[in-house]
Amino acid sequence: FFNSGSRPPSQLTSSSTTAICEDDNGCIWVGTQKGLNKIEADGITVKQYSQNKKWNVLLSDWWVNDIKEDKHGIIWFTTNEQGIGRIDPGNDSVRYFSIAQGLPTCKFEELCIDDEDNLWARSTMGILNMNVVTLQNKLYTEEEGFPSPDDVQAIHYSKYNKKLYILTPYSILEVDSKN
């Protein structure tokens, strides 16, 4: 399809892909070790979201771990060092949420977004819940009865039964995301 050796405009930020998501408009969002790429529905046009426009260099800390679209059409992604990113495809704006915006860490792995506008993201400190509209957040740890972050292997939100699932080596925990 595309690789880092392609000529513009079909060049991805890196051939080392890490995440993929198709949005409701048929665009494919591809995360790499060096950024985020949007492949338009035409399958030809590619937009990179990791280039520093001022210095015209790729940022090495844009390692994208996961990508999801919320019900409002906003693209959310997690990174190793930049926290949680948000792209509004309507106006092409990019915003980050990290320690400076009140998050407990800047490194997040996978994420889920439930039907109540809650983003759930796995980190080495616990599981973050952030409302995508109000941006209020809370970190769930062992103190709240969640498993140790070292034991959490995956999280998944089921649109079928409206529950968050936390996978550990020993169990699958079911969380009612409304409470």
Side-chain angles (χ1 to χ4, degrees):
F1 194 64
F2 295 104
N3 63 50
S4 61
S6 300
R7 298 227 186 276
S10 61
Q11 183 178 9
L12 296 180
T13 52
S14 170
S15 61
S16 298
T17 57
T18 55
I20 190 166
C21 173
E22 182 177 7
D23 69 22
D24 286 341
N25 296 316
C27 299
I28 304 293
W29 295 81
V30 179
T32 73
Q33 292 178 356
K34 293 185 179 180
L36 186 63
N37 305 270
K38 177 184 178 185
I39 303 171
E40 296 289 348
D42 65 12
I44 298 169
T45 309
V46 176
K47 176 161 183 150
Q48 296 180 353
Y49 286 90
S50 65
Q51 199 163 29
N52 181 328
K53 303 294 185 203
K54 183 176 180 182
W55 301 106
N56 200 27
V57 295
L58 295 179
L59 303 174
S60 62
D61 54 1
W62 264 61
W63 186 303
V64 175
N65 292 315
D66 201 2
I67 311 164
K68 297 287 189 291
E69 179 184 26
D70 70 20
K71 66 184 179 184
H72 308 284
I74 304 298
I75 302 299
W76 294 87
F77 59 99
T78 56
T79 69
N80 277 354
E81 296 181 22
Q82 298 296 321
I84 297 173
R86 172 193 188 277
I87 297 177
D88 183 343
N91 61 17
D92 219 25
S93 65
V94 180
R95 184 169 176 199
Y96 281 97
F97 303 93
S98 63
I99 293 171
Q101 288 75 35
L103 297 187
T105 183
C106 287
K107 181 175 181 171
F108 291 93
E109 297 295 330
E110 66 197 305
L111 67 103
C112 305
I113 303 173
D114 68 23
D115 292 341
E116 303 294 319
D117 285 329
N118 292 304
L119 179 147
W120 298 86
R122 181 169 64 95
S123 79
T124 56
M125 296 181 73
I127 296 176
L128 179 81
N129 172 257
M130 182 171 80
N131 185 281
V132 300
V133 176
T134 67
L135 305 179
Q136 293 181 338
N137 70 80
K138 177 174 175 48
L139 183 69
Y140 290 93
T141 64
E142 292 171 277
E143 292 178 15
E144 289 82 18
F146 279 61
S148 164
D150 293 337
D151 289 338
V152 177
Q153 295 180 330
I155 60 174
H156 171 75
Y157 176 72
S158 170
K159 292 184 184 273
Y160 174 71
N161 67 8
K162 315 285 188 231
K163 305 251 182 191
L164 178 73
Y165 290 93
I166 303 170
L167 177 67
T168 74
Y170 319 106
S171 64
I172 299 173
L173 301 160
E174 183 180 80
V175 178
D176 184 352
S177 63
K178 292 181 183 178
N179 296 326

